[in-house]
Structure formats: C-alpha cells, structure tokens
C-alpha cells in the first residue's frame, strides 16, 4: 500500500512537473495572442520543455520586432501619402492659376488684335491707298488674323484642360489655307532673297 501511495505521489509529481510548464506556456500564448507582446516564458529547464520555452521566447521577440518594423513602415507610408496629397493639391492649384492666367492673357491679347485688324480693314476700305500700301495692309491683316488664331488656340487649350471645350465641325477651304500660308512664307522668302512659288 505504501509502495502504491509512493508510486501515485511520484506519478502526480512528475505529471505536475510536466503539465505546469505546458499550462504556463499555453496561458502565455493566449496572452500574447490577445496583444501583450512584452510577455516572455519563465521556464528555466534544460529538458525539452525548457527548449520549447526558449523557442517560444525567440519567436515572440522576432514577432515583436516584425510588428515594430511593420508599424514603422505603415507610418512612413502614411507620411508619403500625406506628402503626395499636399503635392497634388499644390499641383492642382498651380494648374488652376495657369488656366486663369492663360484665359486672362488670351482675352487681353484678343482686344488689341481685333482693334489692329479693324483699323487695317478701315484703311483698306478707305480707298486712299495705292497697290503697294494695300498689299502691306493685307499682310498686316493676314498676320493679325494668324496671331488671333494662335491666341484662340491658347484659349482652346485652356478650355480643354478645364473640360469646357466644345468641338464643332467646320468646312475647310484648302485654297484659302494655301493662300494664307503662302502669304506668310512669301515674306520670309523675300527677306532671304529666295523665289517663292505656289
């Protein structure tokens, strides 16, 4: 009977010696799973359970380092996103300012150009000009009209960027286009001493 009691006592002691550290590791694992990464195993044994406790501590340390590194990367990404948001806002403000400037500048150029074209037409219609002067006035009108077209193109670009451009089909007079281009090129050819033929 004494031997049986001793055997049961020894069996219980061995069972407690084995099960207590395993229960402690299980409890520790549950606490770490809940988010407390500062906990470590206090198992100080040289057997397999001690090795399991050491491995558990190493794993928890690495997990903590990985989580810290990920948190740092998340903060860096948030900062980059904030910087990009600010840069995008500045770029949009700059585009709006450019569009306003282009619109104001284009309208500012159109008024004097229309006046020049109107005066050139008035001089041409007055009948007080000879053929040579009439040809020069026609050049003023043609180049003024060309410059006005360029200003209108700038306005169109401003409308395109603000999504306000309406496209309407127009017939193209090829003879007039060739005439206008040849009038411009003829002046350049004359200044270079070249013969220009169309």
């Amino acid at each position: 009977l004494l031997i049986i009691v001793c055997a049961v006592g020894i069996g219980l002691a061995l069972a407690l010696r084995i099960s207590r550290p395993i229960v402690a590791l299980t409890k520790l694992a549950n606490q770490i799973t809940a988010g407390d990464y500062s906990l470590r195993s206090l198992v100080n044994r040289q057997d397999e359970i001690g090795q399991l406790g050491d491995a558990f501590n190493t794993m928890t340390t690495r997990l903590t380092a990985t989580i810290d590194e990920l948190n740092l990367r998340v903060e860096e990404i948030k900062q980059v996103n904030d910087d990009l948001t600010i840069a995008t806002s500045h770029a949009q403000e700059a585009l709006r300012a450019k569009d306003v400037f282009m619109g104001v500048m284009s309208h500012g150029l159109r008024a004097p150009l229309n006046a020049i074209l109107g005066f050139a037409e008035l001089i041409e219609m007055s009948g007080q000009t000879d053929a040579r002067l009439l040809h020069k006035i026609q050049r003023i009108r043609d180049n003024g009209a060309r410059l006005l077209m360029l200003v209108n193109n700038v306005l169109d670009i401003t409308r395109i960027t603000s999504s306000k451009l309406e496209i309407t089909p127009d017939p193209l007079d090829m003879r007039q286009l060739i005439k206008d281009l040849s009038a411009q090129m003829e002046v350049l050819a004359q200044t270079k001493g070249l013969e220009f033929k169309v």
Side-chain angles (χ1 to χ4, degrees):
L1 210 77
L2 184 60
I3 292 174
I4 291 174
V5 170
C6 285
V8 168
I10 292 172
L12 285 174
L14 285 174
L16 285 175
R17 179 170 164 75
I18 293 171
S19 66
R20 248 189 221 144
I22 293 174
V23 168
L25 285 174
T26 304
K27 184 179 177 185
L28 183 67
N30 289 333
Q31 289 173 330
I32 290 173
T33 303
D36 189 356
Y37 302 112
S38 63
L39 298 176
R40 296 293 181 270
S41 171
L42 300 176
V43 177
N44 294 324
R45 294 168 51 164
Q46 300 300 321
D47 58 1
E48 288 82 8
I49 294 176
Q51 291 174 358
L52 182 63
D54 289 341
F56 197 85
N57 287 340
T58 303
M59 179 190 69
T60 306
T61 302
R62 287 183 182 166
L63 179 63
T64 304
T66 303
I67 289 172
D68 290 344
E69 186 176 342
L70 286 175
N71 286 336
L72 182 64
R73 294 289 163 87
V74 166
E75 288 301 317
E76 289 173 357
I77 290 170
K78 283 181 184 176
Q79 183 62 45
V80 168
N81 281 339
D82 290 345
D83 292 346
L84 284 175
T85 302
I86 292 169
T88 302
S89 174
H90 288 321
Q92 288 171 345
E93 287 176 24
L95 282 173
R96 279 192 296 273
K98 178 205 60 122
D99 289 344
V100 168
F101 169 75
M102 295 294 275
V104 169
M105 182 198 68
S106 298
H107 285 295
L109 289 173
R110 287 178 71 188
L113 273 173
N114 283 324
I116 291 169
L117 291 174
F119 283 126
E121 190 173 341
L122 286 173
I123 293 170
E124 190 176 16
M125 289 175 15
S126 72
Q128 300 173 351
T129 56
D130 59 7
R132 203 172 124 227
L133 186 57
L134 191 62
H135 180 69
K136 290 180 180 178
I137 290 172
Q138 185 59 42
R139 290 275 171 80
I140 290 171
R141 286 184 61 202
D142 290 344
N143 286 314
R146 181 171 168 249
L147 190 55
L148 187 59
M149 184 180 71
L150 290 173
V151 169
N152 287 333
N153 288 344
V154 169
L155 275 176
D156 286 345
I157 290 170
T158 304
R159 288 185 191 121
I160 288 170
T161 56
S162 62
S163 302
K164 294 179 182 175
L165 180 69
E166 294 179 14
I167 298 175
T168 55
D170 260 344
L172 176 65
D173 184 356
M174 287 300 290
R175 291 181 191 277
Q176 186 61 43
L177 178 65
I178 292 170
K179 181 181 172 190
D180 292 344
L181 290 174
S182 64
Q184 295 166 17
M185 293 297 142
E186 187 178 11
V187 173
L188 295 173
Q190 285 176 358
T191 59
K192 299 283 185 182
L194 301 172
E195 184 180 356
F196 182 78
K197 291 182 180 179
V198 178

